[in-house]
Short mmCIF file of all heavy atoms in Angstrom, two decimals:
data_model
loop_
_atom_site.label_atom_id
_atom_site.label_comp_id
_atom_site.label_asym_id
_atom_site.label_seq_id
_atom_site.Cartn_x
_atom_site.Cartn_y
_atom_site.Cartn_z
N VAL A 157 96.40 18.79 -78.69
CA VAL A 157 96.58 19.52 -79.91
C VAL A 157 96.65 20.96 -79.65
O VAL A 157 97.56 21.69 -80.15
CB VAL A 157 95.47 19.09 -80.95
CG1 VAL A 157 95.53 20.10 -82.15
CG2 VAL A 157 95.68 17.66 -81.45
N GLU A 158 95.74 21.48 -78.84
CA GLU A 158 95.75 22.95 -78.57
C GLU A 158 97.04 23.36 -77.82
O GLU A 158 97.53 24.47 -78.08
CB GLU A 158 94.56 23.26 -77.63
CG GLU A 158 94.43 24.70 -77.24
CD GLU A 158 93.82 25.62 -78.28
OE1 GLU A 158 93.20 25.12 -79.26
OE2 GLU A 158 94.06 26.84 -78.21
N ALA A 159 97.56 22.46 -76.98
CA ALA A 159 98.82 22.80 -76.26
C ALA A 159 100.05 22.56 -77.11
O ALA A 159 101.17 22.87 -76.70
CB ALA A 159 98.85 22.02 -74.97
N GLY A 160 99.92 21.86 -78.25
CA GLY A 160 101.03 21.47 -79.04
C GLY A 160 101.90 20.36 -78.39
O GLY A 160 103.12 20.36 -78.52
N ARG A 161 101.18 19.48 -77.71
CA ARG A 161 101.87 18.41 -77.03
C ARG A 161 101.34 17.05 -77.47
O ARG A 161 100.30 16.95 -77.93
CB ARG A 161 101.60 18.49 -75.52
CG ARG A 161 102.09 19.79 -74.81
CD ARG A 161 103.53 19.80 -74.74
NE ARG A 161 104.05 21.02 -74.16
CZ ARG A 161 105.25 21.18 -73.79
NH1 ARG A 161 106.17 20.22 -73.97
NH2 ARG A 161 105.68 22.35 -73.28
N ALA A 162 102.16 16.04 -77.24
CA ALA A 162 101.73 14.66 -77.55
C ALA A 162 100.69 14.18 -76.50
O ALA A 162 100.76 14.72 -75.34
CB ALA A 162 102.93 13.72 -77.50
N THR A 163 99.79 13.36 -76.93
CA THR A 163 98.76 12.87 -76.03
C THR A 163 99.40 12.20 -74.81
O THR A 163 98.86 12.46 -73.68
CB THR A 163 97.87 11.94 -76.82
OG1 THR A 163 97.28 12.61 -77.88
CG2 THR A 163 96.68 11.45 -75.84
N GLY A 164 100.42 11.56 -74.91
CA GLY A 164 101.06 10.87 -73.76
C GLY A 164 101.61 11.84 -72.74
O GLY A 164 101.55 11.54 -71.55
N SER A 165 101.89 13.07 -73.11
CA SER A 165 102.32 14.06 -72.12
C SER A 165 101.18 14.42 -71.22
O SER A 165 101.44 14.75 -70.04
CB SER A 165 102.89 15.27 -72.85
OG SER A 165 101.91 16.05 -73.44
N PHE A 166 100.00 14.39 -71.72
CA PHE A 166 98.82 14.67 -70.82
C PHE A 166 98.79 13.72 -69.66
O PHE A 166 98.66 14.12 -68.55
CB PHE A 166 97.49 14.58 -71.66
CG PHE A 166 96.27 14.86 -70.86
CD1 PHE A 166 95.77 16.13 -70.81
CD2 PHE A 166 95.68 13.89 -70.08
CE1 PHE A 166 94.64 16.44 -70.06
CE2 PHE A 166 94.54 14.17 -69.35
CZ PHE A 166 94.02 15.44 -69.32
N TYR A 167 98.92 12.43 -69.97
CA TYR A 167 98.81 11.39 -69.00
C TYR A 167 99.97 11.39 -67.94
O TYR A 167 99.85 10.84 -66.88
CB TYR A 167 98.58 10.00 -69.61
CG TYR A 167 97.31 9.95 -70.29
CD1 TYR A 167 97.20 10.00 -71.68
CD2 TYR A 167 96.10 9.85 -69.59
CE1 TYR A 167 96.00 9.92 -72.33
CE2 TYR A 167 94.87 9.77 -70.18
CZ TYR A 167 94.81 9.80 -71.62
OH TYR A 167 93.53 9.80 -72.23
N LYS A 168 101.06 11.99 -68.32
CA LYS A 168 102.19 12.19 -67.34
C LYS A 168 101.75 13.18 -66.22
O LYS A 168 102.35 13.10 -65.17
CB LYS A 168 103.47 12.65 -68.04
CG LYS A 168 104.06 11.54 -68.91
CD LYS A 168 105.31 12.13 -69.56
CE LYS A 168 105.87 11.00 -70.55
NZ LYS A 168 107.01 11.51 -71.27
N HIS A 169 100.81 13.99 -66.54
CA HIS A 169 100.42 15.09 -65.63
C HIS A 169 99.08 14.84 -64.99
O HIS A 169 98.84 15.16 -63.81
CB HIS A 169 100.52 16.45 -66.27
CG HIS A 169 101.85 16.77 -66.75
ND1 HIS A 169 102.75 17.40 -65.90
CD2 HIS A 169 102.45 16.62 -67.98
CE1 HIS A 169 103.88 17.56 -66.62
NE2 HIS A 169 103.78 17.13 -67.81
N PHE A 170 98.18 14.29 -65.79
CA PHE A 170 96.79 14.05 -65.29
C PHE A 170 96.30 12.74 -65.79
O PHE A 170 96.36 12.37 -66.93
CB PHE A 170 95.87 15.12 -65.89
CG PHE A 170 96.36 16.54 -65.67
CD1 PHE A 170 96.98 17.23 -66.67
CD2 PHE A 170 96.21 17.17 -64.49
CE1 PHE A 170 97.48 18.53 -66.52
CE2 PHE A 170 96.70 18.41 -64.22
CZ PHE A 170 97.29 19.14 -65.28
N PRO A 171 95.78 11.89 -64.82
CA PRO A 171 95.27 10.56 -65.26
C PRO A 171 94.01 10.59 -66.08
O PRO A 171 93.69 9.66 -66.72
CB PRO A 171 95.07 9.85 -63.89
CG PRO A 171 95.19 10.86 -62.84
CD PRO A 171 95.80 12.03 -63.42
N SER A 172 93.30 11.78 -66.04
CA SER A 172 92.02 11.86 -66.73
C SER A 172 91.68 13.32 -66.96
O SER A 172 92.26 14.22 -66.28
CB SER A 172 90.94 11.15 -65.99
OG SER A 172 90.68 11.86 -64.74
N LYS A 173 90.72 13.54 -67.72
CA LYS A 173 90.20 14.91 -67.91
C LYS A 173 89.59 15.47 -66.64
O LYS A 173 89.70 16.62 -66.30
CB LYS A 173 89.09 14.93 -69.03
CG LYS A 173 88.57 16.24 -69.45
CD LYS A 173 87.71 16.21 -70.73
CE LYS A 173 86.39 15.63 -70.41
NZ LYS A 173 85.40 15.89 -71.53
N GLU A 174 88.90 14.55 -65.85
CA GLU A 174 88.36 14.93 -64.54
C GLU A 174 89.46 15.40 -63.59
O GLU A 174 89.21 16.38 -62.79
CB GLU A 174 87.58 13.79 -63.97
CG GLU A 174 86.34 13.44 -64.70
CD GLU A 174 86.63 12.65 -66.03
OE1 GLU A 174 87.65 12.07 -66.18
OE2 GLU A 174 85.72 12.64 -66.92
#
Side-chain angles (χ1 to χ4, degrees):
V157 166
E158 181 77 20
R161 300 286 180 173
T163 302
S165 70
F166 181 93
Y167 293 104
K168 289 180 183 174
H169 297 276
F170 308 102
S172 66
K173 185 172 74 166
E174 293 76 19

